[in-house]
Amino acid sequence: EPEVTQTPSHQVTQMGQEVILRCVPISNHLYFYWYRQILGQKVEFLVSFYNNEISEKSEIFDDQFSVERPDGSNFTLKIRSTKLEDSAMYFCASRRGQYNEQFFGPGTRLTVL
Amino acid sequence: QQPVQSPQAVILREGEDAVINCSSSKALYSVHWYRQKHGEAPVFLMILLKGGEQKGHDKISASFNEKKQQSSLYLTASQLSYSGTYFCGTEYPIGGSQGNLIFGKGTKLSVKP
């Protein structure tokens, strides 16, 4: 069964460094999302991406965040200058169409020291 | 805008039933239910679209009352594998919205033998 994959599974970085989190959505899906979950808390929406552009973003998704779909398969989240409070699990999700379920990847645990 | 889930936590004995509620203060387009086990990604359970409907598979079902802006997840004859945190994700009929989900804080379900 097709699934969303994410790499790396765990990323440790120093405050102020740039990180790129990678996702490969399910191949025939058209809508892509990034969410994050701080340990022990709820899942929070960051950004949605459709038709090669950002369609919606939350207040969390400020200027230090960016997303790209550099080729037909990868979907990346870049954090330009990481802060301690960026430490969280980051989930990528995709869905085939507007009326379909979203499938989550296994997540990348980001630890900012 | 965040949906409110209740209860926050519930402890069951194997074989008992539970109901988890998800309420919104705004009109909903759809409700998505997920289960998350510790350290893992949310796993999709079911999606309910506006129009009011009930769905189910196995011993897990859900209803969506569009007028009351709420959804309920029903777990019957619970099994140990049902343990986890249940999140409802709500989608709002905002023009141009590409389906990002706003999640509740979750309901922690523990099933004991």
Side-chain angles (χ1 to χ4, degrees), chain A residues 31 33 35 37 41-43 45 48 50 55-56 89 91 95 98-107 109, chain B residues 2 29 32 34 36 38-42 44 47 49 87 91 94 96-105:
Chain A
Y31 298 81
Y33 307 85
Y35 294 87
Q37 186 177 33
Q41 297 186 23
K42 65 173 183 163
V43 178
F45 166 72
S48 57
Y50 170 71
S55 43
E56 202 161 349
M89 186 74 106
F91 293 107
R95 80 196 300 189
Q98 275 186 297
Y99 307 107
N100 301 111
E101 58 270 37
Q102 290 188 27
F103 290 97
F104 279 69
R109 179 169 296 286
Chain B
Q2 170 190 295
Y29 177 75
H32 303 227
Y34 289 82
Q36 185 179 34
H38 184 69
E40 298 180 10
F44 172 78
I47 180 174
L49 302 176
F87 291 99
E91 192 176 353
I94 301 168
S97 170
Q98 296 300 331
N100 49 286
L101 297 176
I102 307 298
F103 285 92
K105 290 186 176 179

Side-chain angles (χ1 to χ4, degrees), chain A residues 3-77:
Chain A
E3 55 185 23
V4 177
T5 60
Q6 289 185 244
T7 54
S9 56
H10 191 190
Q11 172 98 45
V12 181
T13 190
Q14 296 290 326
M15 194 168 58
Q17 295 295 304
E18 174 183 286
V19 295
I20 297 177
L21 311 182
R22 292 184 165 79
C23 167
V24 179
I26 295 173
S27 65
N28 63 347
H29 285 192
L30 301 175
Y31 298 81
F32 313 112
Y33 307 85
W34 282 102
Y35 294 87
R36 80 168 186 193
Q37 186 177 33
I38 294 169
L39 187 63
Q41 297 186 23
K42 65 173 183 163
V43 178
E44 298 175 290
F45 166 72
L46 291 178
V47 66
S48 57
F49 193 86
Y50 170 71
N51 207 22
N52 284 320
E53 60 183 21
I54 290 174
S55 43
E56 202 161 349
K57 55 186 180 180
S58 71
E59 303 122 7
I60 304 168
F61 194 89
D62 60 24
D63 291 343
Q64 68 161 342
F65 289 91
S66 62
V67 289
E68 263 191 345
R69 189 157 160 81
D71 53 44
S73 57
N74 290 287
F75 179 49
T76 62
L77 174 70

